[in-house]
Amino acid sequence: METYDSMLARISAAPGQGSRTILDPATGEPVGEAPVHTVDDLEHAIAAAAAAQPAWAALGHDARSAALLKAADAVERSAEELAQLLSREQGKPLNGPNARFEVGACAAWLRAAATTPLAPEMVVDDGETRAVLDYRPIGVVGAIGPWNWPMMITIWQIAPALRMGNAVVVKPSQNTPLSVLALAAVINDELPEGLLSVVSSGRDVGARLAEHPAIGKVMFTGSTAAGKSIIKSSAGTIKRLTLELGGNDAGIVLPDADPKAIAEGLFWGAFINTGQTCAALKRLYVHDDIYDGVCEELTKVAAAMPMGVGLDEANVLGPLQNRQQYDIVARLVEAARDSGARILLGGNPDPGQPGNFYPTTLVADIDNSNPLVAEEQFGPALPIIRYSTVDEAIRMANGVDVGLGASIWSPNLTAAREVAARLEAGTVWINTHGAVDPRIPFGGAKQSGYGLEFGVEGLKALGIPQVING
């Protein structure tokens, strides 16, 4: 097992056209040097992946799965070093559902991808016609990831791709390249050379990856605007796509819910990773009968959650990863304040504090058309909107052009499921929000993207269906 310093030295020494300094969003201090790759570097990575892929595919599912299980073991051996790096680069604390949690999820998803069964499907066998559906590798997959969960979402992309016999070229966010480079370095100790590469670069390389004729599929997690650009870039070669795009997830609290019982679940649904999660709860609709009670109990929970530098073991909330996102959150909260909305907690950042810290903020008595409600804030600010009838809440929840996730909160599961079925979202949780499971398919509706990840459906999405008829 290598040390934190040796891991950082290994990824900083990766070949590239120079390097750039990555800063800690909590302190502004240097974390390390990220290599700067070019389109030529991308071409070399794709060529190496294309050369390594046929032999990897020929190994078959059992051998590939065994390699992924070894990769999961390797991640666990380096878990603390990876979590320390992730905390410093992304900003999330070590504890809570944050850095150590994310690294643990990487190992869990590797194992799930390795052990999920996928047998050929007998479609017809009636004595006259025999048709079998199976999946063959795509070839080289391009994986473009975000800065909010850089390690975990990279694993969501590469683990099923590798299991299905593909090679992968990863393009991480420019904000968090070190985390992804380190994770890949650990995994590559268990994989054939050239099969998995990381190209740390800017948008020009990402655009080339999306249009490259040797890339058979692109997996992307990020904004809806960037997803639309990838669709356009990929059209010339008819690439397969899995797109997990922006969300503005609604939660609906039904009038029979107990405010105190659900307050902590609501908090973590909204503020996991300091609100920087695509499928976080971003709009909370609460019935008039219990509105004040939910506001009171949620404020108590939120006020008790410590925010600060991620390496401090006491903290469970961290900074926003970059200043651009900080400015978005600050603008939206100010728009809410200017409209006359009631600030229950937060909304008062300290301009003299180092780092991108925006305080945990709860905003009540806000109109549904307010920008803090209508736009995705992607940070630690939650608007709480009143409603009078369930039909009204459903109308407001469905009134945006995205639909990644949603949630219903009620002790009456039958009623909650009936409301859930009326929401326009890829996943609707009941009495929780944002919980993902490697066995359960996950994907968005409307402009939150298309394609499924996780489970059997996620494996199928990384293969080309082939029917043998006869």
Side-chain angles (χ1 to χ4, degrees), residues 95-452:
N95 292 322
N98 291 298
R100 289 177 177 135
F101 167 86
E102 180 169 349
V103 175
C106 290
W109 254 266
L110 280 164
R111 290 199 171 95
T115 57
T116 298
L118 180 61
E121 177 185 348
M122 185 68 70
V123 180
V124 176
D125 188 10
D126 60 6
E128 296 182 0
T129 301
R130 182 182 186 275
V132 177
L133 172 63
D134 203 353
Y135 292 82
R136 59 184 179 84
I138 296 169
V140 181
V141 172
I144 304 174
W147 48 258
N148 58 334
W149 295 91
M151 290 185 179
M152 184 172 71
I153 291 177
T154 294
I155 289 294
W156 291 357
Q157 296 170 333
I158 69 176
L162 292 170
R163 159 67 194 280
M164 294 300 289
N166 303 295
V168 189
V169 177
V170 178
K171 193 275 181 192
S173 166
Q174 294 183 80
N175 292 319
T176 52
L178 298 175
S179 299
V180 177
L181 285 161
L183 178 66
V186 169
I187 292 173
N188 269 331
D189 288 339
E190 305 298 335
L191 296 178
E193 185 175 354
L195 190 69
L196 171 64
S197 299
V198 178
V199 182
S200 172
S201 54
R203 291 183 178 178
D204 58 334
V205 173
R208 177 58 179 158
L209 181 65
E211 70 181 14
H212 200 288
I215 298 292
K217 171 159 186 156
V218 173
M219 301 189 74
F220 172 73
T221 296
S223 71
T224 297
K228 291 177 180 179
S229 295
I230 288 171
I231 293 170
K232 293 176 182 177
S233 296
S234 67
T237 50
I238 319 294
K239 295 190 194 308
R240 287 160 172 78
L241 299 174
T242 295
L243 303 174
E244 196 260 89
L245 307 179
N248 193 358
D249 287 15
I252 298 176
V253 181
L254 298 184
D256 59 357
D258 178 349
K260 187 172 184 179
I262 66 173
E264 188 166 348
L266 289 172
F267 175 83
W268 284 118
F271 292 96
I272 184 172
N273 196 27
T274 316
Q276 299 165 109
T277 298
C278 294
L281 172 57
K282 300 186 175 82
R283 300 174 289 146
L284 182 61
Y285 297 94
V286 182
H287 192 273
D288 281 327
D289 290 351
I290 57 171
Y291 186 87
D292 291 338
V294 169
C295 287
E296 179 181 354
E297 295 298 334
L298 185 53
T299 300
K300 288 179 185 178
V301 171
M305 296 294 181
M307 175 184 287
V309 176
L311 296 182
D312 183 335
E313 297 277 355
N315 293 323
V316 294
L317 298 172
L320 288 158
Q321 200 286 320
N322 55 81
R323 202 66 184 183
Q324 180 181 4
Q325 197 59 43
Y326 176 100
D327 290 342
I328 290 171
V329 175
R331 171 180 61 81
L332 292 172
V333 172
E334 285 310 302
R337 192 196 308 274
D338 292 346
S339 74
R342 180 162 53 106
I343 308 295
L344 300 174
L345 182 71
N348 56 341
D350 179 359
Q353 183 181 27
N356 300 326
F357 289 99
Y358 195 92
T360 306
T361 300
L362 297 172
V363 182
D365 298 333
I366 185 170
D367 188 82
N368 190 59
S369 62
N370 190 278
L372 181 59
V373 181
E375 300 178 28
E376 182 184 22
Q377 70 275 50
F378 215 72
L382 178 67
I384 309 171
I385 306 100
R386 293 179 184 268
Y387 75 88
S388 299
T389 68
V390 172
D391 286 346
E392 178 190 13
I394 292 170
R395 175 183 57 78
M396 291 189 292
N398 288 339
V400 295
D401 59 6
V402 290
L404 188 55
S407 58
I408 307 296
W409 301 77
S410 169
N412 185 333
L413 295 182
T414 299
R417 289 167 182 153
E418 289 175 353
V419 176
R422 298 174 63 188
L423 295 182
E424 298 167 354
T427 298
V428 182
W429 293 276
I430 295 176
N431 295 324
T432 188
H433 192 111
V436 291
D437 184 314
R439 301 167 299 177
I440 300 172
F442 178 72
K446 300 195 279 190
Q447 292 191 38
S448 286
Y450 44 74
L452 289 172

